[in-house]
Amino acid sequence: MQLEFKARIDNILNRISKAARAAGRDPSDITLVAVSKTFPAETVAAANDAGLDTFGENYVQEALKKIEALSGRSIHWHFIGHLQSNKAKAAVKHFQLIHSIDRMTLAKAVAKEAKKNRKVQPVLVQVNIGREKTKSGVDPDKTASFIHEICGLDGIEIRGLMAIPPYTRNPEDARPYFKALARLFEKIRKEFSELSGFSELSMGMSGDFEVAIEEGATIVRIGTAIFGERR
Ligand SMILES: *Cc1c(COP(=O)(O)O)cnc(C)c1O
């Protein structure tokens, strides 16, 4: 099992490197976030033993159990799910990067908790790049003004953008969405030159991460291709 797991992880790392090099990029500029939602702490431990050190979780309660169980390990935890403002305290305490800032109330709640802890919390702004009614995220046309509103908050550092494009069976069909997010990212980077840490583009999942890397992803979030199907 462990061997098979290691082979699966090596395969993903190879595919990331290959996609990066094909796009003329340095593979070490891409962070793999292993999305461990629904899988137990033992599985995360096995993936950590196989060489992975950054894990993504969607639910605070579920994550806290694993974070506690694995507290002896040096693991980076990223929060990638929809975050309720009343969970901001736990999120700030336990996650190195929050990918899903999508509204003012949440940005304020996170900033407030961070300040209380004398910390600056790195965050990404989630963009609803496909303008889907069922998805959270800031409308692409409103992202610059949203960042303008929150960039003055002490306690958070805006590190970049994140998006989950509409589901497509063929990864090529996701390319226009990745392109659109990358374009928005560049526009904001130029417009907000004072945001010196604005450098991360979190996009690409199991089915389409190579296309996302070709379009400029610096963080890919991969679950199924590493851990298998979720139940
Ligand atoms: C579950 C999830 C992923 C991983 O999806 P896979 O298709 O299993 O790789 C990535 N990003 C977010 C935000 C998720 O919720």
mmCIF file of all heavy atoms in Angstrom, residues 33 35 37 58 80-81 99 126 162-164 204-207 220-226 228 230, ligand 1:
data_model
loop_
_atom_site.group_PDB
_atom_site.id
_atom_site.type_symbol
_atom_site.label_atom_id
_atom_site.label_comp_id
_atom_site.label_asym_id
_atom_site.label_seq_id
_atom_site.Cartn_x
_atom_site.Cartn_y
_atom_site.Cartn_z
ATOM 1 N N VAL A 33 -0.442 21.218 -3.240
ATOM 2 C CA VAL A 33 -1.265 21.061 -2.036
ATOM 3 C C VAL A 33 -2.030 19.751 -2.188
ATOM 4 O O VAL A 33 -2.840 19.601 -3.111
ATOM 5 C CB VAL A 33 -2.247 22.243 -1.859
ATOM 6 C CG1 VAL A 33 -3.168 21.997 -0.666
ATOM 7 C CG2 VAL A 33 -1.496 23.550 -1.701
ATOM 8 N N VAL A 35 -4.861 17.528 -1.301
ATOM 9 C CA VAL A 35 -6.175 17.775 -0.694
ATOM 10 C C VAL A 35 -6.653 16.506 0.015
ATOM 11 O O VAL A 35 -7.029 15.526 -0.615
ATOM 12 C CB VAL A 35 -7.190 18.246 -1.752
ATOM 13 C CG1 VAL A 35 -8.565 18.447 -1.117
ATOM 14 C CG2 VAL A 35 -6.711 19.553 -2.396
ATOM 15 N N LYS A 37 -9.123 16.162 2.354
ATOM 16 C CA LYS A 37 -10.486 16.129 2.931
ATOM 17 C C LYS A 37 -11.086 14.737 2.808
ATOM 18 O O LYS A 37 -10.858 14.055 1.795
ATOM 19 C CB LYS A 37 -11.388 17.155 2.249
ATOM 20 C CG LYS A 37 -11.635 16.872 0.786
ATOM 21 C CD LYS A 37 -12.520 17.933 0.153
ATOM 22 C CE LYS A 37 -12.627 17.708 -1.330
ATOM 23 N NZ LYS A 37 -12.725 18.945 -2.106
ATOM 24 N N ASN A 58 -10.986 21.311 3.675
ATOM 25 C CA ASN A 58 -12.159 22.130 3.366
ATOM 26 C C ASN A 58 -13.038 22.448 4.568
ATOM 27 O O ASN A 58 -13.861 23.343 4.496
ATOM 28 C CB ASN A 58 -13.064 21.409 2.361
ATOM 29 C CG ASN A 58 -12.471 21.339 0.998
ATOM 30 O OD1 ASN A 58 -11.370 20.826 0.836
ATOM 31 N ND2 ASN A 58 -13.174 21.856 0.005
ATOM 32 N N ILE A 80 -8.892 25.469 2.120
ATOM 33 C CA ILE A 80 -9.323 25.692 0.732
ATOM 34 C C ILE A 80 -10.839 25.704 0.569
ATOM 35 O O ILE A 80 -11.347 25.891 -0.529
ATOM 36 C CB ILE A 80 -8.707 24.627 -0.217
ATOM 37 C CG1 ILE A 80 -9.212 23.229 0.125
ATOM 38 C CG2 ILE A 80 -7.175 24.677 -0.175
ATOM 39 C CD1 ILE A 80 -8.804 22.168 -0.900
ATOM 40 N N GLY A 81 -11.589 25.485 1.665
ATOM 41 C CA GLY A 81 -13.048 25.403 1.560
ATOM 42 C C GLY A 81 -13.731 26.724 1.849
ATOM 43 O O GLY A 81 -13.083 27.749 2.083
ATOM 44 N N HIS A 99 -7.216 30.045 1.347
ATOM 45 C CA HIS A 99 -7.401 30.277 -0.097
ATOM 46 C C HIS A 99 -8.720 30.957 -0.438
ATOM 47 O O HIS A 99 -8.956 31.254 -1.611
ATOM 48 C CB HIS A 99 -7.410 28.929 -0.849
ATOM 49 C CG HIS A 99 -6.099 28.236 -0.949
ATOM 50 N ND1 HIS A 99 -5.628 27.709 -2.139
ATOM 51 C CD2 HIS A 99 -5.143 27.958 -0.032
ATOM 52 C CE1 HIS A 99 -4.451 27.116 -1.942
ATOM 53 N NE2 HIS A 99 -4.140 27.255 -0.666
ATOM 54 N N GLN A 126 -10.657 34.367 -3.357
ATOM 55 C CA GLN A 126 -11.294 33.391 -4.253
ATOM 56 C C GLN A 126 -12.167 34.118 -5.265
ATOM 57 O O GLN A 126 -13.015 34.944 -4.911
ATOM 58 C CB GLN A 126 -12.135 32.392 -3.445
ATOM 59 C CG GLN A 126 -12.757 31.328 -4.352
ATOM 60 C CD GLN A 126 -13.437 30.212 -3.575
ATOM 61 O OE1 GLN A 126 -13.296 30.098 -2.355
ATOM 62 N NE2 GLN A 126 -14.186 29.389 -4.296
ATOM 63 N N MET A 162 -7.351 32.633 -6.101
ATOM 64 C CA MET A 162 -7.689 31.212 -6.205
ATOM 65 C C MET A 162 -9.008 31.089 -6.961
ATOM 66 O O MET A 162 -9.862 31.968 -6.864
ATOM 67 C CB MET A 162 -7.840 30.625 -4.798
ATOM 68 C CG MET A 162 -8.244 29.163 -4.771
ATOM 69 S SD MET A 162 -10.015 28.889 -4.783
ATOM 70 C CE MET A 162 -10.184 27.679 -3.491
ATOM 71 N N ALA A 163 -9.152 30.029 -7.733
ATOM 72 C CA ALA A 163 -10.448 29.783 -8.381
ATOM 73 C C ALA A 163 -10.678 28.295 -8.604
ATOM 74 O O ALA A 163 -9.733 27.507 -8.711
ATOM 75 C CB ALA A 163 -10.549 30.519 -9.717
ATOM 76 N N ILE A 164 -11.947 27.950 -8.639
ATOM 77 C CA ILE A 164 -12.399 26.605 -9.022
ATOM 78 C C ILE A 164 -13.270 26.801 -10.257
ATOM 79 O O ILE A 164 -14.417 27.213 -10.149
ATOM 80 C CB ILE A 164 -13.256 25.958 -7.908
ATOM 81 C CG1 ILE A 164 -12.573 26.079 -6.541
ATOM 82 C CG2 ILE A 164 -13.588 24.505 -8.258
ATOM 83 C CD1 ILE A 164 -13.499 25.741 -5.372
ATOM 84 N N GLY A 204 -6.143 24.610 -10.581
ATOM 85 C CA GLY A 204 -5.800 23.294 -11.101
ATOM 86 C C GLY A 204 -6.026 22.212 -10.060
ATOM 87 O O GLY A 204 -5.571 22.347 -8.921
ATOM 88 N N MET A 205 -6.766 21.169 -10.450
ATOM 89 C CA MET A 205 -7.072 20.053 -9.566
ATOM 90 C C MET A 205 -6.688 18.751 -10.299
ATOM 91 O O MET A 205 -6.015 18.788 -11.327
ATOM 92 C CB MET A 205 -8.551 20.080 -9.171
ATOM 93 C CG MET A 205 -9.022 21.508 -8.837
ATOM 94 S SD MET A 205 -10.482 21.701 -7.808
ATOM 95 C CE MET A 205 -11.694 20.696 -8.590
ATOM 96 N N SER A 206 -7.131 17.602 -9.756
ATOM 97 C CA SER A 206 -6.685 16.322 -10.320
ATOM 98 C C SER A 206 -6.845 16.228 -11.838
ATOM 99 O O SER A 206 -5.966 15.726 -12.531
ATOM 100 C CB SER A 206 -7.457 15.164 -9.679
ATOM 101 O OG SER A 206 -7.056 15.019 -8.340
ATOM 102 N N GLY A 207 -7.983 16.707 -12.339
ATOM 103 C CA GLY A 207 -8.300 16.488 -13.744
ATOM 104 C C GLY A 207 -7.642 17.457 -14.705
ATOM 105 O O GLY A 207 -7.627 17.220 -15.920
ATOM 106 N N VAL A 220 -1.137 24.114 -7.108
ATOM 107 C CA VAL A 220 -2.173 23.206 -7.601
ATOM 108 C C VAL A 220 -2.719 22.419 -6.412
ATOM 109 O O VAL A 220 -1.981 22.081 -5.488
ATOM 110 C CB VAL A 220 -1.648 22.255 -8.707
ATOM 111 C CG1 VAL A 220 -1.350 23.040 -9.989
ATOM 112 C CG2 VAL A 220 -0.403 21.488 -8.260
ATOM 113 N N ARG A 221 -4.019 22.163 -6.439
ATOM 114 C CA ARG A 221 -4.695 21.493 -5.317
ATOM 115 C C ARG A 221 -5.196 20.137 -5.801
ATOM 116 O O ARG A 221 -6.144 20.062 -6.567
ATOM 117 C CB ARG A 221 -5.877 22.344 -4.837
ATOM 118 C CG ARG A 221 -5.517 23.819 -4.572
ATOM 119 C CD ARG A 221 -6.773 24.607 -4.190
ATOM 120 N NE ARG A 221 -7.855 24.422 -5.131
ATOM 121 C CZ ARG A 221 -8.133 25.237 -6.156
ATOM 122 N NH1 ARG A 221 -7.418 26.320 -6.375
ATOM 123 N NH2 ARG A 221 -9.149 24.967 -6.960
ATOM 124 N N ILE A 222 -4.521 19.080 -5.363
ATOM 125 C CA ILE A 222 -4.803 17.762 -5.935
ATOM 126 C C ILE A 222 -5.224 16.776 -4.852
ATOM 127 O O ILE A 222 -4.479 16.525 -3.903
ATOM 128 C CB ILE A 222 -3.567 17.255 -6.705
ATOM 129 C CG1 ILE A 222 -3.192 18.263 -7.805
ATOM 130 C CG2 ILE A 222 -3.841 15.872 -7.301
ATOM 131 C CD1 ILE A 222 -1.993 17.870 -8.639
ATOM 132 N N GLY A 223 -6.427 16.235 -5.012
ATOM 133 C CA GLY A 223 -6.949 15.261 -4.064
ATOM 134 C C GLY A 223 -7.019 13.870 -4.650
ATOM 135 O O GLY A 223 -6.164 13.011 -4.394
ATOM 136 N N THR A 224 -8.030 13.633 -5.480
ATOM 137 C CA THR A 224 -8.318 12.303 -6.013
ATOM 138 C C THR A 224 -7.112 11.610 -6.649
ATOM 139 O O THR A 224 -6.910 10.405 -6.443
ATOM 140 C CB THR A 224 -9.445 12.414 -7.071
ATOM 141 O OG1 THR A 224 -10.486 13.222 -6.512
ATOM 142 C CG2 THR A 224 -9.996 11.060 -7.421
ATOM 143 N N ALA A 225 -6.324 12.332 -7.402
ATOM 144 C CA ALA A 225 -5.196 11.706 -8.109
ATOM 145 C C ALA A 225 -4.131 11.197 -7.137
ATOM 146 O O ALA A 225 -3.307 10.362 -7.506
ATOM 147 C CB ALA A 225 -4.591 12.680 -9.121
ATOM 148 N N ILE A 226 -4.153 11.703 -5.900
ATOM 149 C CA ILE A 226 -3.196 11.230 -4.899
ATOM 150 C C ILE A 226 -3.828 10.185 -3.980
ATOM 151 O O ILE A 226 -3.267 9.116 -3.748
ATOM 152 C CB ILE A 226 -2.677 12.408 -4.041
ATOM 153 C CG1 ILE A 226 -1.846 13.358 -4.904
ATOM 154 C CG2 ILE A 226 -1.846 11.899 -2.854
ATOM 155 C CD1 ILE A 226 -1.461 14.648 -4.202
ATOM 156 N N GLY A 228 -7.064 8.826 -4.180
ATOM 157 C CA GLY A 228 -8.143 7.995 -4.705
ATOM 158 C C GLY A 228 -9.483 8.685 -4.536
ATOM 159 O O GLY A 228 -9.552 9.820 -4.026
ATOM 160 N N ARG A 230 -12.995 9.971 -3.247
ATOM 161 C CA ARG A 230 -13.576 10.231 -1.920
ATOM 162 C C ARG A 230 -14.929 9.555 -1.840
ATOM 163 O O ARG A 230 -15.618 9.427 -2.836
ATOM 164 C CB ARG A 230 -13.762 11.744 -1.723
ATOM 165 C CG ARG A 230 -12.486 12.502 -1.532
ATOM 166 C CD ARG A 230 -12.751 13.983 -1.353
ATOM 167 N NE ARG A 230 -13.204 14.605 -2.586
ATOM 168 C CZ ARG A 230 -12.396 15.112 -3.537
ATOM 169 N NH1 ARG A 230 -11.092 15.040 -3.387
ATOM 170 N NH2 ARG A 230 -12.901 15.676 -4.607
HETATM 171 C C1 LIG B 1 -11.764 18.872 -3.200
HETATM 172 C C2 LIG B 1 -11.054 20.065 -3.733
HETATM 173 C C3 LIG B 1 -9.913 19.920 -4.542
HETATM 174 C C4 LIG B 1 -9.363 18.582 -5.008
HETATM 175 O O1 LIG B 1 -10.129 18.079 -6.035
HETATM 176 P P1 LIG B 1 -9.664 16.730 -6.826
HETATM 177 O O2 LIG B 1 -10.464 16.770 -8.051
HETATM 178 O O3 LIG B 1 -9.998 15.589 -5.922
HETATM 179 O O4 LIG B 1 -8.215 16.851 -7.069
HETATM 180 C C5 LIG B 1 -9.265 21.084 -4.950
HETATM 181 N N1 LIG B 1 -9.704 22.298 -4.598
HETATM 182 C C6 LIG B 1 -10.793 22.478 -3.825
HETATM 183 C C7 LIG B 1 -11.227 23.845 -3.458
HETATM 184 C C8 LIG B 1 -11.514 21.357 -3.382
HETATM 185 O O5 LIG B 1 -12.608 21.554 -2.638
#
